Amino acid sequence: MTFLLRLGSEFFGIIEETGEGITGFACGDTVYGMIRIGAFSDSRVVPATDIARSPERITALVEAGTVTPYVERIFRLAVVRQALELPEAGRTRGKIVLSMG
């Protein structure tokens, strides 16, 4: 299935591969960052300047299930426009989730 709209700006993940000349990061590092759009995907290619190493304590808490993201609201994909309006208006405190099912 191909979507015409790429969602998400914040990501958290593990580096699978680095490009030529990249220093300070290696495969297996846990990182986080923000990109303009398209963070909700299985993988992304991002510049090293757009990521930061995840603090070890936070990584351990997430992996242990101790820290759970706060979900403000879940929207059906059919009302994606309504879902996008909330953060744009600055009226959210938690994550906005789109349900595909």
Side-chain angles (χ1 to χ4, degrees), residues 10 13 19 29 35 49 51 55 67 71 75 90 94 100:
E10 301 168 354
D29 287 350
I35 57 177
T49 55
I51 62 174
V67 172
V71 175
F75 288 89
M100 304 298 229

Side-chain angles (χ1 to χ4, degrees), residues 2-5 8-9 13-15 24 40 47 51 54 56 67 73-74 78 80-81 83 97 101:
T2 302
F3 293 104
L4 299 176
L5 178 65
S9 59
I14 299 171
I15 295 178
F40 298 168
I51 62 174
S54 178
E56 290 181 27
V67 172
R73 193 160 168 199
I74 300 173
V80 67
R81 187 171 309 225
V97 176

Side-chain angles (χ1 to χ4, degrees), residues 73-86:
R73 193 160 168 199
I74 300 173
F75 288 89
R76 294 184 331 275
L77 189 57
V79 293
V80 67
R81 187 171 309 225
Q82 182 182 355
L84 292 173
E85 289 172 355
L86 287 176

Side-chain angles (χ1 to χ4, degrees), residues 20-81:
E20 186 177 321
I22 298 298
T23 60
F25 296 102
C27 292
D29 287 350
T30 304
V31 296
Y32 68 97
M34 289 185 71
I35 57 177
R36 189 167 183 92
I37 59 171
F40 298 168
S41 60
D42 291 335
S43 62
R44 291 297 303 175
V45 175
V46 296
T49 55
D50 290 355
I51 62 174
R53 189 177 315 281
S54 178
E56 290 181 27
R57 185 165 190 269
I58 292 175
T59 300
L61 293 172
V62 171
E63 289 175 351
T66 304
V67 172
T68 304
Y70 171 69
V71 175
E72 172 113 4
R73 193 160 168 199
I74 300 173
F75 288 89
R76 294 184 331 275
L77 189 57
V79 293
V80 67
R81 187 171 309 225

